[in-house]
Amino acid sequence: MTLHGFTLTAEGPFDFGDSLRFVEDWPATSALPTDGRALRFAYCAESDWLPIGVRVTAAPGGVEVATTRPAGPSIRGEVARIFSLDVDGAGFAKTAGADPVLDDLRRRRPGLRPVCFWSPWEAACWAVIVQRSSMLIAARIKQRIAERYGTRLTVDGQPCLVFPPPVSLLEAGGLGLPAQKEEWVRGLARAALDGVLTTEHLRSLAPEEALAELRALPGVGPFSAGLILIRGAGAPDAFPGDEPRLFAILREAYGLPEDTPPAAYRGLAEAWRPYRSWASFLFRATSYGTPED
C-alpha cells in the first residue's frame, strides 16, 4: 500500500522518543506495533470517520508522518493534536520555571508533551469502559470491540486494529460491557455524530464550558470529562476539577496535607496557565505517579 508522507514541526522542545516510550508503557496503547523507532496505528479520522493508518517517526524538530490515504489539512491537524504538536510549547519552560516542583519534572523530561487518544470519541469510550475496571481488562474489552465492529488496516507491513466509528456503535449490543455502559456508549456515539463530542467543538469552548458540556453526556463524570478534554481533544490549558489520583500525586509532590480541598489544587494549577493540561500530564507521567487513565 502506498504511503503519503508529510512533516510536522514542533514549536518549542519536543522529544518523539519520549512520546514513544510513554505509548509503549501505557497499558491502553502498549500493544501497538512499534520497534522503538516508529509508531504505527490506525483510527477513524474525525474529519470523515473513515479509517486511516499512520506511521510516525522522529525528524529534526518534529516528526515524519506517513498515512495510508492522502492527508489534507484536517488529517494533518488530527495527527498534530495526538502528539500535542498543534500547540506552541515554547513558553512552557518559562511557565514551569515559576514553580520549582514542576520545573524539576520538566527538566527531567524536557521534550515530553501530552500524548492524546486518536479522537475525543475514542477517549470517551475508553473512559466508560475503564470505569470500575482495571486498565488491562479495559484494554482487552476495547480490543474485542474493535475486532467485532471495527476494521483492520496494514500500516507499513504491520496489522493495526481500528476502533469503530460512532455510527457503527449507535445500535450495537454485545460489547462485553454491562447494559448501562453499553447504553452510555450508544449515547456517546450520538453525541459524536451530532458534533458535540469532537475536537473542533470542544476546543472552541472555554475549558470550564467544555468540561460542563462533557459532564452532561451519558456516563461522563468529572474525572471522565477531564480525560476527554485533555487527552481526547488535546486542550492545552484545562485542569480537571475533581480527580483523586492526580490530587494524590500533587499532595506527594508538594507535601500537602491529606485533607487539602479541591479548591487548593485548582489554585495551585493557576500558576501553570496556559499549560495546565501539560503540567498535569507531566506529573502523571513521571515518578510522582503513573498514567493510569
Side-chain angles (χ1 to χ4, degrees):
M1 179 181 292
T2 300
L3 294 178
H4 308 267
F6 59 93
T7 302
L8 294 172
T9 301
E11 296 291 337
F14 172 69
D15 182 351
F16 174 70
D18 211 354
S19 298
L20 187 57
R21 286 188 290 275
F22 173 85
V23 170
E24 291 171 338
D25 291 341
W26 190 41
T29 51
S30 59
L32 289 172
T34 171
D35 54 10
R37 296 185 301 274
L39 176 64
R40 300 168 182 85
F41 60 93
Y43 72 105
C44 286
E46 275 194 302
S47 55
D48 54 16
W49 296 119
L50 296 176
I52 183 170
V54 183
R55 182 191 67 202
V56 185
T57 55
V63 293
E64 291 287 347
V65 183
T67 55
T68 55
R69 57 190 177 98
S74 295
I75 295 293
R76 291 172 183 241
E78 289 179 12
V79 177
R81 170 191 52 76
I82 289 168
F83 295 96
S84 294
L85 293 173
D86 60 338
V87 176
D88 185 343
F92 185 49
K94 182 178 179 180
T95 296
D99 181 331
V101 177
L102 175 60
D103 196 44
D104 176 62
L105 299 189
R106 184 199 63 80
R107 290 177 183 276
R108 287 156 56 188
R109 303 185 76 170
L112 180 63
R113 300 184 178 205
V115 182
C116 298
F117 286 83
W118 314 148
S119 67
W121 155 245
E122 279 206 45
C125 289
W126 172 259
V128 165
I129 294 168
V130 81
Q131 285 183 36
R132 302 182 183 276
S133 177
S134 74
M135 293 242 317
L136 291 174
I137 291 174
R140 287 197 289 267
I141 293 173
K142 184 171 180 283
Q143 180 173 342
R144 287 199 296 268
I145 293 172
E147 289 170 346
R148 180 171 182 181
Y149 291 102
T151 57
R152 192 181 296 269
L153 288 181
T154 299
V155 182
D156 197 26
Q158 298 288 333
C160 295
L161 273 174
V162 182
F163 191 76
V167 68
S168 297
L169 298 186
L170 271 177
E171 306 294 336
L175 302 180
L177 296 168
Q180 180 66 83
K181 284 190 175 185
E182 293 199 357
E183 183 57 37
W184 288 344
V185 169
R186 289 190 285 270
L188 294 174
R190 288 189 287 272
L193 293 173
D194 288 342
V196 174
L197 190 57
T198 63
T199 300
E200 181 179 10
H201 175 68
L202 294 173
R203 293 275 288 267
S204 73
L205 304 174
E208 291 72 21
E209 293 178 61
L211 289 169
E213 278 203 11
L214 287 167
R215 287 194 297 269
L217 296 178
V220 177
F223 170 81
S224 297
L227 173 69
I228 296 165
L229 183 61
I230 294 172
R231 297 285 305 288
D237 188 37
F239 185 75
D242 184 12
E243 188 180 330
R245 194 177 295 120
L246 175 60
F247 291 174
I249 293 168
L250 295 178
R251 280 198 303 275
E252 180 182 349
Y254 289 89
L256 301 174
E258 188 73 25
D259 60 353
T260 299
Y265 299 108
R266 290 192 290 270
L268 182 69
E270 284 297 306
W272 306 339
R273 289 179 180 269
Y275 297 101
R276 288 178 295 169
S277 300
W278 285 34
S280 299
F281 176 83
L282 195 56
F283 274 107
R284 300 206 58 143
T286 57
S287 58
Y288 287 122
T290 54
E292 297 178 8
D293 51 61

